[in-house]
Amino acid sequence: MLAQEKSTVPLKSYLTQLEAKYDVKFSFVDEDLSGVTITKPNFNNLNSILTALENQTKLKIEKLNNRYYTLAKSTLVSICGNVFDNYAKNTIPGATIEVLGSKIALITNLDGSFSLEDIPRTASLKVRYLGYITKYIPIEDLADKPNCIDILLAQNLEKLDEVVVYEFLTSGLVKQEDASITLNTAQLGVLPGLVEPDILQSVQALPGVKSIDETVSDINVRGGTNDQNLMLWNGIKMYQSGHFFGLISAFNPYLTDKVTLYKNGTPSKYGDGVSSVISLETKNDIDGSFVGGAGINLISGDVYAQFPINDKVAFQFSARRSITDFLNTPTYNSFTDRVFQDSEVQNQQNQAIDENIDRDVTFLFYDFTGKLLYDINKNQKLRINFIGITNDLKYIQTNTDTNEITQSFLDQANVSLGIQLQSKWNSRLSSHLNVYISRYDLGAENFFNNTQQLFQENTVLENALKLNSTYRISDNLNWQNGYQFIETGITNTTLVTQPPFNSDIKGVIRTHAPYTQINYTSFENKLIASGGLRANYIQNLAQFGSSFNKLILEPRLNINFKFVKNLRIQALGEFKSQTTNQVIDLEQNFLGIEKRRWILSDDDKLPITKSKQGSVGLNYSRNSIYIGLEGFYKEVDGISTRTQGFQNENQFNGEIGEYKVKGIEFLINKRANNYSTWLSYTYNKNDYTFDSLIPNRFSNNLDVRHTVTLAGTYTIKNLELGLGINYRTGRPFTEPEDGDLALDTTSFPNRINYKPSNSSRLPEYFRADASANYNFDINRRLKASTSISLLNLTNRRNIINQYYRISDDNEIETVVNRSLGITPNLSFRVSF
């Protein structure tokens, strides 16, 4: 190719010269060629000249026949540009560039640049970045430019209301303006002792929340029992929450979008759960992208994904299965030792009784979830949710000294299906409809030496319809109203062969619950308040005995007030009730905690459990320091000794009473970009009152006076480290009388004479945990992480329970249950 001439000429005049020279005609729109100049190509044939003109002008030249040609602007163009801050002209990396009316989008490079090819000339470009005013530019204005253009974004300067939510401990853990705590699991950082973000283990990092026996199926919130927690998954009440006898959560954290914990001041739309509400919600939006992942640790493996079917429909699922039925790992062995440890027995002389026990344990658990997301239109969204949770155990124990064989089988399952419809009727009114059915089954079989057989079944079937509406009266005021219908049926079956015994108890309770609540937020959030009322009309359709109807009113109050700069005061109060409780079988029987059985209130042997609670708290936040202090008082009445886990002479009585707990929760947290450290302290004084017992007032089984946690996390690039220390004073228990007074041989069978209830205390509890997590990219789409954790890294064998029984030789034996020893765990995960 010869060198081109340097001079430029108007394209129109040059085309006239070509028409005369080559006897051709060019057809075009004058506007397309107006102002267009070119450098004359130095070629001797027309085709080469026209190709050079296309390259210079980006015009499309098409040959119609041997003489006629057309020229027009191309419908697809390529553009490039640089995005700057219009104030200091700093580049803006990560700005979003979208071609409106198409699926074409990208973000700017580290230097703020971008380029797009083959995009419609008639479209417009949308350029946006957080904190800047969004800019719209016609692509026509950017096309056919010789150089990349500069796009200047103006800062969006707004006066923002004071932020009244507090992120503390680790990323993704937030205290909201209504005093609830939310865990955003996708953002949740490392917590000491956790190899993965176990949802129900994570909430125990909060003041006032603990587990007296290190499990997630026995979470104690402000001195309450686990059955006094309302557990919801996508609005469905769950009657099972744990795997492996409660040592790990049954909910997959990787599709769970948000977990919300209410300890007091609960919104009126929540009934049940006199101690707390724990609400789990999975991802609820269709974002058009495919996400998923898989992982394995020393207990189980799991997989999850959400994929779009089209713009309006998406599906998500998760599945997890244990590996414990075919692979023994250090974690599994530690968990097994923790669960099956009733062989640690001492006689009355405090001498260890060695029993040669052989165990054959086959344990399997799995869970799976599914969710169909359908956006009917921009104002209505349909969601269908499904969850299944299963535990299976086969346990054979042989005493080689006596040749006694005990065989036990356990099947535990929770299956639920729910449908949700979210509707926005206009700019002020929206509604949420939730309909579900949930079924829980517990089946236990126990065979002793082929002479005695025990069968137990516990079935819960719950159907519910819940409708909630929100009306925005003004920008500062909204009004919520709703109605809930819940029908709960529970069946308990017990069959014993020797001595013969058969029991089959069924009951149904229906609850109609209208409620209302007003929410107010003042200018600049100085005052945030809500007040509500819930009316529970309860119908017991008893199979045996008399049925009853009751109306229970439950007021709720939540006030958050800016006292001075950086300091807010919060006052909370609530009345609540519940009609389902768990009977705790005698702990020395097979499987202990996992044989808790759900029962219904009958207004006789077990009344409706009611609570009232009030609290006042202070929240101080400035820069990277957060300090929270809250004092509370709670009364819970209508409890039974059968639901409280007694292991003395009161465990079978079924006496009705109450407990009162008062306490203080304190937390100080210092956060920076790469570290967080915190200290929490909880004081509880928790006392029972049972009028028919002597003494009638004594310490609650969950009365742990002092709890202290000191922990911290540190991030070094892709490495996250966590270390924590947990200390608490010992829980109460009841010892036998001293010496010869301990055993009553005048009754048949012999029985133990106990000291006053809960007059003794276990030793102090101390545990140190550590975790490490490393994140890395396998490629642009595939990300990975590997984690290691150590529970109880000092291997201190804390005593978490101690009780007494009478041996076949009519001696009192002491059974000691200890905490997990040092328990390592490893995991490897990939996500995309």
Side-chain angles (χ1 to χ4, degrees):
M1 183 178 72
L2 300 175
Q4 295 181 349
E5 299 176 8
K6 298 296 183 182
S7 62
T8 60
V9 296
L11 177 59
K12 283 185 181 181
S13 63
Y14 183 65
L15 291 177
T16 303
Q17 296 174 25
L18 292 178
E19 287 178 336
K21 182 176 181 179
Y22 292 103
D23 191 22
V24 294
K25 288 292 183 180
F26 293 100
S27 176
F28 51 83
V29 177
D30 285 342
E31 292 180 358
D32 289 349
L33 274 61
S34 178
V36 178
T37 60
I38 52 99
T39 300
K40 287 185 178 182
N42 194 4
F43 294 105
N44 295 323
N45 64 81
L46 181 60
N47 288 337
S48 298
I49 292 172
L50 296 181
T51 299
L53 291 178
E54 280 188 323
N55 292 334
Q56 282 192 58
T57 63
K58 307 302 181 185
L59 293 170
K60 183 175 180 61
I61 303 176
E62 185 176 355
K63 183 178 180 180
L64 299 178
N65 54 42
N66 289 335
R67 189 168 182 224
Y68 287 95
Y69 292 82
T70 62
L71 285 80
K73 288 184 176 180
S74 174
T75 57
L76 297 178
V77 298
S78 297
I79 62 172
C80 63
N82 303 285
V83 181
F84 293 94
D85 175 343
N86 76 342
Y87 175 72
K89 268 222 163 183
N90 295 318
T91 59
I92 303 180
T96 301
I97 311 295
E98 299 178 55
V99 179
L100 297 180
S102 74
K103 296 182 179 180
I104 301 172
L106 51 73
I107 60 173
T108 56
N109 299 322
L110 292 177
D111 59 357
S113 65
F114 71 93
S115 62
L116 291 166
E117 296 182 356
D118 297 331
I119 59 176
R121 178 185 289 272
T122 57
S124 293
L125 211 62
K126 180 180 179 182
V127 185
R128 59 187 174 90
Y129 189 72
L130 185 65
Y132 291 83
I133 298 174
T134 300
K135 196 165 191 175
Y136 297 88
I137 307 170
I139 290 175
E140 178 70 46
D141 296 348
L142 309 178
D144 307 328
K145 303 295 184 184
N147 299 311
C148 296
I149 64 161
D150 292 342
I151 299 174
L152 304 180
L153 295 185
Q155 292 185 356
N156 187 12
L157 302 176
E158 294 182 358
K159 184 178 180 181
L160 300 176
D161 290 340
E162 179 190 0
V163 176
V164 290
V165 297
Y166 310 101
E167 184 173 49
F168 51 53
L169 305 193
T170 188
S171 59
L173 198 56
V174 180
K175 184 170 185 178
Q176 302 290 342
E177 60 191 29
D178 62 355
S180 65
I181 309 293
T182 60
L183 285 76
N184 299 304
T185 54
Q187 305 170 17
L188 195 62
V190 67
L191 284 171
L194 297 184
V195 72
E196 292 181 347
D198 187 294
I199 293 169
L200 299 182
Q201 291 284 6
S202 297
V203 299
Q204 296 181 42
L206 303 170
V209 184
K210 63 177 178 291
S211 174
I212 203 73
D213 57 6
E214 301 182 324
T215 69
V216 299
S217 59
D218 192 13
I219 293 178
N220 314 119
V221 179
R222 290 185 171 174
T225 53
N226 183 75
D227 59 340
Q228 294 171 357
N229 302 317
L230 173 62
M231 189 81 62
L232 298 171
W233 180 83
N234 285 335
I236 304 172
K237 183 175 180 180
M238 305 302 297
Y239 286 90
Q240 178 183 349
S241 58
H243 286 313
F244 215 119
F245 310 103
L247 292 175
I248 50 181
S249 168
F251 305 103
N252 189 303
Y254 299 102
L255 279 179
T256 302
D257 185 48
K258 184 175 70 172
V259 181
T260 305
L261 168 69
Y262 295 94
K263 293 188 285 186
N264 191 13
T266 311
S268 57
K269 68 179 180 179
Y270 295 110
D272 219 349
V274 297
S275 274
S276 76
V277 174
I278 303 175
S279 174
L280 299 86
E281 300 174 33
T282 57
K283 299 179 186 298
N284 204 47
D285 293 322
I286 301 174
D287 57 13
S289 60
F290 174 76
V291 296
I296 189 169
N297 57 44
L298 298 185
I299 289 294
S300 63
D302 74 280
V303 62
Y304 71 95
Q306 175 170 318
F307 53 90
I309 298 174
N310 55 43
D311 291 343
K312 291 188 174 183
V313 182
F315 181 73
Q316 62 180 224
F317 75 92
S318 71
R320 172 171 51 174
R321 188 192 188 280
S322 63
I323 61 174
T324 54
D325 53 328
F326 59 85
L327 181 64
N328 284 349
T329 66
T331 311
Y332 170 69
N333 292 331
S334 181
F335 281 10
T336 303
D337 291 343
R338 159 69 178 80
V339 174
F340 304 107
Q341 58 174 310
D342 281 356
S343 58
E344 187 175 341
V345 181
Q346 297 176 347
N347 60 21
Q348 287 178 271
Q349 289 74 42
N350 294 324
Q351 298 171 331
I353 300 175
D354 295 325
E355 294 181 314
N356 294 318
I357 302 295
D358 287 339
R359 294 188 179 93
D360 181 10
V361 181
T362 303
F363 184 72
L364 167 69
F365 70 78
Y366 57 89
D367 58 69
F368 51 91
T369 67
K371 184 172 184 176
L372 180 68
L373 302 89
Y374 174 38
D375 289 350
I376 302 171
N377 51 50
K378 66 178 182 179
N379 293 323
Q380 290 188 309
K381 298 179 179 181
L382 179 68
R383 304 292 185 256
I384 301 176
N385 305 287
F386 177 79
I387 186 170
I389 303 170
T390 299
N391 288 320
D392 289 321
L393 172 74
K394 178 181 179 182
Y395 176 73
I396 301 176
Q397 175 178 292
T398 304
N399 187 323
T400 57
D401 294 332
T402 62
N403 291 323
E404 293 177 342
I405 299 176
T406 301
Q407 300 181 64
S408 300
F409 305 91
L410 176 80
D411 293 312
Q412 187 181 29
N414 198 127
V415 179
S416 304
L417 174 67
I419 300 175
Q420 297 175 309
L421 179 63
Q422 304 167 36
S423 302
K424 183 178 180 181
W425 302 105
N426 53 47
S427 61
R428 293 182 178 273
L429 179 63
S430 62
S431 66
H432 184 279
L433 175 66
N434 182 25
V435 180
Y436 71 79
I437 179 171
S438 185
R439 181 184 178 102
Y440 169 79
D441 289 284
L442 173 67
E445 302 177 29
N446 189 237
F447 302 87
F448 178 72
N449 244 12
N450 293 321
T451 59
Q452 185 188 58
Q453 299 180 15
L454 168 65
F455 300 91
Q456 282 187 324
E457 290 185 2
N458 181 212
T459 300
V460 182
L461 182 62
E462 182 166 291
N463 309 305
L465 182 149
K466 301 179 180 181
L467 177 63
N468 181 75
S469 69
T470 302
Y471 182 73
R472 187 172 61 87
I473 300 173
S474 67
D475 291 340
N476 303 98
L477 189 67
N478 70 68
W479 186 21
Q480 290 185 337
N481 292 280
Y483 166 78
Q484 298 176 359
F485 170 76
I486 304 170
E487 181 182 74
T488 306
I490 296 182
T491 302
N492 274 290
T493 302
T494 304
L495 174 63
V496 181
T497 57
Q498 292 293 334
F501 176 78
N502 188 11
S503 174
D504 189 12
I505 301 174
K506 300 178 181 178
V508 176
I509 280 184
R510 291 175 181 164
T511 302
H512 301 266
Y515 61 87
T516 186
Q517 180 167 307
I518 291 286
N519 305 302
Y520 172 75
T521 303
S522 69
F523 178 68
E524 294 185 344
N525 291 329
K526 186 171 184 179
L527 173 64
I528 302 171
S530 66
L533 179 66
R534 181 184 180 91
N536 291 323
Y537 180 69
I538 301 170
Q539 299 174 297
N540 184 298
L541 310 177
Q543 181 186 27
F544 303 103
S546 60
S547 60
F548 67 85
N549 299 324
K550 282 187 177 293
L551 176 63
I552 300 175
L553 300 180
E554 299 177 358
R556 314 282 173 86
L557 181 66
N558 194 317
I559 299 174
N560 187 324
F561 180 72
K562 182 180 178 181
F563 190 61
V564 294
K565 185 177 181 181
N566 302 319
L567 180 65
R568 303 186 71 92
I569 186 169
Q570 194 154 32
L572 309 170
E574 65 179 26
F575 283 58
K576 297 177 78 176
S577 63
Q578 68 180 63
T579 57
T580 55
N581 293 271
Q582 280 184 314
V583 171
I584 302 177
D585 288 333
L586 184 62
E587 293 286 343
Q588 59 258 47
N589 260 353
F590 162 63
L591 298 186
I593 189 172
E594 286 300 333
K595 282 180 59 180
R596 296 171 179 241
R597 293 179 290 120
W598 290 99
I599 61 173
L600 290 171
S601 298
D602 58 8
D603 207 33
D604 180 19
K605 295 181 179 179
L606 183 63
I608 296 172
T609 305
K610 301 176 185 178
S611 73
K612 51 187 176 182
Q613 180 180 188
S615 63
V616 177
L618 296 172
N619 295 290
Y620 174 83
S621 180
R622 183 178 181 183
N623 299 327
S624 59
I625 291 286
Y626 169 79
I627 300 175
L629 177 66
E630 186 170 5
F632 69 91
Y633 176 80
K634 180 168 69 173
E635 293 183 8
V636 179
D637 59 40
I639 63 171
S640 167
T641 54
R642 298 175 63 213
T643 67
Q644 296 296 302
F646 282 99
Q647 291 180 288
N648 52 30
E649 72 275 13
N650 299 321
Q651 60 196 12
F652 302 119
N653 295 348
E655 306 292 345
I656 304 301
E658 65 177 11
Y659 70 83
K660 298 179 181 179
V661 54
K662 53 187 177 183
I664 296 173
E665 297 168 0
F666 171 77
L667 172 67
I668 181 170
N669 179 212
K670 166 69 175 176
R671 286 176 55 87
N673 289 334
N674 62 340
Y675 75 88
S676 175
T677 182
W678 64 91
L679 171 69
S680 69
Y681 168 73
T682 303
Y683 169 80
N684 276 354
K685 189 176 188 304
N686 193 348
D687 293 319
Y688 286 125
T689 299
F690 289 95
D691 292 335
S692 57
L693 298 181
I694 300 175
N696 62 6
R697 186 173 181 179
F698 51 91
S699 295
N700 192 298
N701 295 332
L702 303 176
D703 178 42
V704 176
R705 294 291 171 88
H706 306 281
T707 303
V708 179
T709 298
L710 176 63
T713 62
Y714 187 71
T715 302
I716 310 170
K717 295 184 177 179
N718 294 336
L719 179 65
E720 299 174 284
L721 303 173
L723 178 65
I725 297 173
N726 300 283
Y727 165 87
R728 65 172 183 252
T729 51
R731 64 182 290 193
F733 74 108
T734 309
E735 290 184 290
E737 293 284 0
D738 297 324
D740 295 337
L741 298 177
L743 187 63
D744 182 1
T745 58
T746 62
S747 63
F748 181 82
N750 293 345
R751 66 181 185 182
I752 300 173
N753 291 324
Y754 287 95
K755 294 179 179 180
S757 295
N758 287 349
S759 56
S760 302
R761 286 190 178 263
L762 296 175
E764 300 166 329
Y765 178 97
F766 176 88
R767 195 180 83 187
D769 304 322
S771 296
N773 180 64
Y774 181 73
N775 302 296
F776 58 96
D777 294 341
I778 297 177
N779 56 41
R780 189 175 64 88
R781 281 283 296 164
L782 194 60
K783 302 181 183 299
S785 65
T786 182
S787 305
I788 183 173
S789 69
L790 282 175
L791 285 169
N792 195 8
L793 57 89
T794 64
N795 202 30
R796 177 185 170 106
R797 298 304 302 273
N798 298 285
I799 298 177
I800 58 175
N801 193 21
Q802 184 169 312
Y803 62 89
Y804 303 87
R805 67 188 186 192
I806 299 176
S807 70
D808 294 337
D809 299 328
N810 281 328
E811 286 195 359
I812 297 177
E813 296 177 341
T814 304
V815 182
V816 178
N817 293 153
R818 297 186 181 273
S819 66
L820 283 168
I822 185 170
T823 305
N825 203 351
L826 297 169
S827 80
F828 174 75
R829 303 201 61 83
V830 293
S831 61
F832 46 86

